[in-house]
Amino acid sequence: MAKLEKIAKRDGKIVDFDKEKIVNAIFKAAVEVGGEDRRLAEILADKVVHQLELSQGSSAYHTVEDIQDIIEKELIEAGHARTAKAFILFRHDRDKRREENDHQKLNFDGNIPYKKIWQVLNWSVDHNCYSVDKINERIKNGTYPELVKEVTAKYDADVEAAAQKIIDRGGKVRIVIVAGPSSSGKTTTTIKIGEHLKAHGYELVSMELDNYFFDLEHHPKDEFGDYDFEVPEALDLELINQHLADLIAGKTIQMPHYDFKTGKRTAETTPMKLEDNQILLLDSLHGLYAPMTKSVSDEQKFKLYIETLCQIRDKEGEFIRWTDIRILRRMVRDSWHRGYNPRQTLEHWHYVRRSEIQHIIPFVGTVDHIIDGSLPYELPVYKHILYKYFPEFVKDYKDNPKRQDAYIRAKRILELLDSIEEWSDTSYDVIPNNVLLREYIGGSIYKY
């Protein structure tokens, strides 16, 4: 067994190994939860060093990440769960600060507040679902159904908190905007917000902005022949603003109807009028886009944002990308709701991301409430439904220079799904008919 003498830093430099840093890291985490025994931290550090030396190769150096992974493992296996949690959170915080200093992460100022991200991570650690390995464990040990219940309770509480903010404004809000990137959970959230407001005497009226798309024939195509639904200009913004102003003024409008299968507005319209005790609810990808609601004053609007703020590490220790969760959701939903196959959804996704970056993310700082729409139990379900498609996607796109965006996404998602355990039981006993996931896999009590 080789003695541990050198390690590789994050920047690639090889430096002398210092066990005292491990002792300090463990002891600091222990102090956070009331521990006072530094000698115990030294004993645990010795165990960490022993494991590092056992796994050390003849030519490779352990990295800082390797050491941190083994510290987590040893703390948990030794029964120090609270200290392990403190260390995991401390590690995450240091990672985020380092990325911030190196200008390698998104700026959360004017975007998702760091406090919200921290709350999601803290919850994930508390509920033992902060990594792919932990989620796999919950499947293997039979606690997956409990995880579904835990996640549902968290989401429901977040929705209720948003509704309470609207109620607390004493009837001044005439329009609630539920915004967020594609497949983040806007529609289900919209419905559930409505349920809470109804319980407090407000009648919520939904105005589905998807009905305001221009006819498909008016949309431009790219070299692949794809239509772009993702830009706000694909919607009739002038008509939307006219109808919003008329509704708040007490007038009756004729709301259009859009048929996604034909790509046209139908001759059918729906009369709509906003009464004094009613609040208009807008569920839109582009609800935060200022020209969308420019005819309404700010004090009459409540802006809510939902995103899959998933804080789950993959097998490599990297956090799973939020957009990868959402594309899996959209693949499933589009297959039964819009008649698209998963390949079409994947090939179209570059439009989705471009639009999100241009027309959604810059406005998150203007919202009144942010809801976490991530569901740590959903990946095993998508493994069952979608995994079979991805090997073919990777093969087909690998040498296609015009589809490299699709290839990169497909390869990354395939590796993610490879690492996750499959879950096939989507019965109501396990996944109830009123949860957010039903928006994508079907079987919901709600109408979408």
Side-chain angles (χ1 to χ4, degrees):
M1 182 173 62
K3 184 178 179 181
L4 185 61
E5 296 180 343
K6 302 283 185 179
I7 64 168
K9 295 182 66 176
R10 289 179 177 85
D11 60 5
K13 293 180 180 178
I14 305 302
V15 299
D16 291 337
F17 169 69
D18 184 358
K19 189 188 79 170
E20 193 66 16
K21 290 184 178 181
I22 297 179
V23 175
N24 290 338
I26 294 174
F27 186 58
K28 183 173 183 179
V31 169
E32 286 292 319
V33 295
E36 299 178 348
D37 189 351
R38 184 176 178 85
R39 176 56 186 159
L40 180 56
E42 293 172 350
I43 293 172
L44 290 168
D46 285 337
K47 292 183 177 181
V48 170
V49 173
H50 181 65
Q51 290 300 319
L52 288 167
E53 290 177 341
L54 285 175
S55 59
Q56 183 171 238
S58 59
S59 59
Y61 294 102
H62 278 301
T63 66
V64 173
E65 287 78 10
D66 293 336
I67 297 172
Q68 291 176 334
D69 287 344
I70 292 180
I71 291 174
E72 288 183 20
K73 178 176 178 293
E74 288 297 324
L75 286 173
I76 292 171
E77 290 183 353
H80 302 288
R82 293 175 64 221
T83 302
K85 175 190 172 183
F87 179 79
I88 291 165
L89 294 176
F90 173 74
R91 178 182 180 182
H92 174 76
D93 187 44
R94 288 291 298 271
D95 286 347
K96 287 295 183 183
R97 291 179 186 277
R98 184 179 302 104
E99 290 170 0
E100 187 175 30
N101 291 337
D102 293 340
H103 307 287
Q104 292 176 346
K105 78 174 190 70
L106 288 173
N107 179 12
F108 286 111
D109 294 331
N111 199 343
I112 306 296
Y114 184 72
K115 180 181 178 181
K116 185 71 177 184
I117 304 294
W118 181 259
Q119 290 171 346
V120 176
L121 175 66
N122 193 38
W123 187 94
S124 298
V125 172
D126 281 343
H127 291 79
N128 210 30
C129 58
Y130 60 88
S131 71
V132 165
D133 286 340
K134 293 301 178 183
I135 295 171
N136 288 343
E137 281 181 16
R138 296 205 62 162
I139 291 176
K140 292 174 181 177
N141 66 23
T143 62
Y144 176 88
E146 284 70 29
L147 178 60
V148 175
K149 294 177 183 178
E150 293 162 12
V151 173
T152 300
K154 174 180 71 71
Y155 167 75
D156 287 345
D158 214 352
V159 171
E160 184 177 2
Q164 190 60 49
K165 287 183 179 180
I166 298 169
I167 295 163
D168 290 344
R169 283 173 58 172
K172 294 181 180 179
V173 176
R174 299 309 311 280
I175 295 179
V176 172
I177 299 168
V178 179
S182 177
S183 301
S184 55
K186 295 183 298 298
T187 306
T188 299
T189 301
T190 294
I191 294 170
K192 288 182 176 289
I193 289 285
E195 291 176 341
H196 283 288
L197 293 180
K198 184 177 181 180
H200 289 268
Y202 294 96
E203 183 180 357
L204 204 62
V205 180
S206 181
M207 183 178 178
E208 299 292 342
L209 294 185
D210 279 359
N211 286 316
Y212 287 82
F213 276 117
F214 286 114
D215 287 353
L216 194 60
E217 64 194 43
H218 298 302
H219 289 206
K221 295 182 179 181
D222 69 0
E223 72 263 36
F224 305 118
D226 292 330
Y227 292 106
D228 192 352
F229 282 95
E230 310 303 332
V231 294
E233 288 76 18
L235 294 160
D236 192 338
L237 299 180
E238 182 177 349
L239 182 60
I240 290 172
N241 274 284
Q242 177 187 325
H243 281 183
L244 291 178
D246 288 345
L247 286 169
I248 290 177
K251 299 178 182 179
T252 300
I253 67 165
Q254 294 296 323
M255 188 169 65
H257 176 263
Y258 188 86
D259 187 337
F260 277 96
K261 292 185 178 180
T262 64
K264 293 180 179 293
R265 286 190 208 164
T266 66
E268 173 189 359
T269 61
T270 304
M272 186 175 185
K273 187 175 186 294
L274 195 65
E275 303 296 341
D276 290 341
N277 70 323
Q278 293 179 326
I279 300 175
L280 190 66
L281 198 58
L282 303 183
D283 167 9
S284 173
L285 183 71
H286 300 296
L288 304 182
Y289 182 59
M292 177 80 72
T293 58
K294 63 182 180 182
S295 62
V296 182
S297 67
D298 288 340
E299 67 178 358
Q300 293 176 304
K301 293 184 282 193
F302 182 91
K303 291 178 284 186
L304 185 150
Y305 183 79
I306 181 168
E307 171 62 285
T308 51
L309 306 177
C310 138
Q311 294 296 292
I312 300 172
R313 291 184 184 271
D314 61 20
K315 287 285 189 179
E316 304 302 320
E318 300 294 329
F319 283 101
I320 295 171
R321 298 190 184 208
W322 303 344
T323 184
D324 288 346
I325 301 292
R326 292 191 286 100
I327 194 173
L328 287 167
R329 289 179 173 184
R330 184 153 168 171
M331 281 180 171
V332 177
R333 183 196 65 187
D334 282 357
S335 66
W336 64 267
H337 185 62
R338 294 185 177 179
Y340 293 176
N341 63 47
R343 183 182 294 273
Q344 288 174 290
T345 305
L346 179 62
E347 292 178 354
H348 184 82
W349 196 249
H350 63 287
Y351 285 130
V352 176
R353 289 298 293 142
R354 182 186 67 189
S355 182
E356 291 170 357
I357 292 168
Q358 292 178 348
H359 304 297
I360 300 175
I361 292 174
F363 309 113
V364 176
T366 69
V367 304
D368 299 289
H369 189 87
I370 295 175
I371 287 179
D372 171 30
S374 64
L375 307 171
Y377 65 85
E378 65 188 316
L379 279 172
V381 176
Y382 302 143
K383 170 72 174 278
H384 175 68
I385 299 172
L386 294 172
Y387 179 79
K388 60 187 177 183
Y389 297 105
F390 280 88
E392 183 179 347
F393 293 159
V394 171
K395 179 182 177 182
D396 290 350
Y397 298 138
K398 182 177 181 180
D399 297 320
N400 185 340
K402 293 185 177 181
R403 294 295 189 192
Q404 284 304 289
D405 179 81
Y407 168 70
I408 292 169
R409 293 185 192 283
K411 184 174 183 294
R412 186 172 65 233
I413 293 174
L414 175 61
E415 292 171 352
L416 173 61
L417 294 180
D418 266 332
S419 69
I420 200 83
E421 292 288 325
E422 179 179 326
W423 184 268
S424 59
D425 183 2
T426 57
S427 64
Y428 292 144
D429 289 340
V430 179
I431 302 175
N433 60 5
N434 65 343
V435 300
L436 176 58
L437 184 64
R438 291 288 175 187
E439 182 175 333
Y440 308 105
I441 68 173
S444 177
I445 61 171
Y446 302 127
K447 304 295 183 182
Y448 296 119

